Amino acid sequence: MTAASAATPEPEPVMLPEPQRLGVLSRLAPEPMKVVLNWGRRYSLWVFNFGLACCAIEFIAASMSRHDFMRLGVIPFAPGPRQADLMVVSGTVTDKMAPAVKRLYEQMPEPKYVISFGACSNCGGPYWDSYSVTKGVDQIVPVDVYVPGCPPRPEALLQGIIKLQEKIARESLGKRYGGSGTAPRPSTAALTSGLVRPPAAEGDR
């Protein structure tokens, strides 16, 4: 037996998968940072409530002491869209109200989330055949969690919030915002297209 045949072959190196990182901060933030950021984001959701019909009463009940969704890290009634992380659309969205919902959603800072609460918000509900009802809020803004019911009970909203928190815990901001398939940010002209213009001054006429 020669020395070459007696030598044991060296094991092939094991290639570990590349860990998912934080998009543009991949050079600076390690992988555990994503866990910390998602943990803080899922338990500090400021809610911008869009109460449009009877489902808003169930939302209010979920925020009261009996159900108390603040124990889940959800802070109700944000001062405005610029301080909110989560929009809860509860009630019937009409075609007249749809531009306001879209405009306020676009004013919310990223990352932002939407819960569609109730059958009317999901698909128009019993008014889906009306000439003035939008057939679901997902036609104007992206929805993360749908809560069915007419009206849903407060426990259903709590379950929807837990499902959203589970989604946030698994989220990768690099995939959410760094991919080529992401939609472009709206321009200033698009954000102000539906606003009422002030009357022209005397010198401009």
Side-chain angles (χ1 to χ4, degrees):
M1 177 181 291
T2 63
S5 61
T8 58
E10 295 183 1
E12 297 182 359
V14 178
M15 300 299 293
L16 297 176
E18 182 70 19
Q20 295 292 328
R21 304 233 179 230
L22 276 174
V24 296
L25 297 179
S26 60
R27 295 179 292 104
L28 305 176
E31 178 67 16
M33 184 62 69
K34 183 187 78 171
V35 178
V36 174
L37 291 176
N38 288 350
W39 177 84
R41 190 173 293 119
R42 67 189 288 200
Y43 291 124
S44 60
L45 292 171
W46 282 81
V47 179
F48 185 64
N49 180 31
F50 229 100
L52 300 174
C54 46
C55 288
I57 306 300
E58 303 297 325
F59 173 89
I60 295 171
S63 65
M64 295 293 104
S65 58
R66 180 180 179 87
H67 302 282
D68 187 24
F69 60 35
M70 287 189 70
R71 60 194 167 92
L72 301 177
V74 181
I75 300 95
F77 312 121
R82 293 174 181 85
Q83 291 81 30
D85 309 293
L86 170 62
M87 174 183 282
V88 178
V89 183
S90 50
T92 311
V93 182
T94 61
D95 293 341
K96 188 175 182 179
M97 182 59 71
V101 176
K102 181 176 177 61
R103 186 181 305 123
L104 291 172
Y105 171 80
E106 290 170 344
Q107 291 178 4
M108 293 170 60
E110 296 283 357
K112 52 192 174 184
Y113 309 95
V114 176
I115 290 180
S116 178
F117 185 56
C120 288
S121 179
N122 292 343
C123 62
Y127 315 108
W128 68 272
D129 202 21
S130 173
Y131 70 95
S132 61
V133 172
T134 304
K135 310 303 186 289
V137 72
D138 54 2
Q139 296 194 9
I140 53 176
V141 296
V143 175
D144 296 283
V145 175
Y146 296 88
V147 179
C150 184
R153 287 187 52 81
E155 294 88 350
L157 179 59
L158 297 181
Q159 181 68 17
I161 290 172
I162 292 173
K163 291 296 182 183
L164 177 63
Q165 290 177 336
E166 292 174 356
K167 180 178 180 179
I168 295 173
R170 300 189 303 265
E171 190 174 52
S172 171
L173 294 184
K175 292 181 179 179
R176 182 179 177 107
Y177 302 111
S180 59
T182 56
R185 297 184 63 85
S187 62
T188 305
L191 291 175
T192 59
S193 60
L195 300 180
V196 178
R197 300 292 180 181
E202 292 292 336
D204 298 338
R205 294 179 179 176

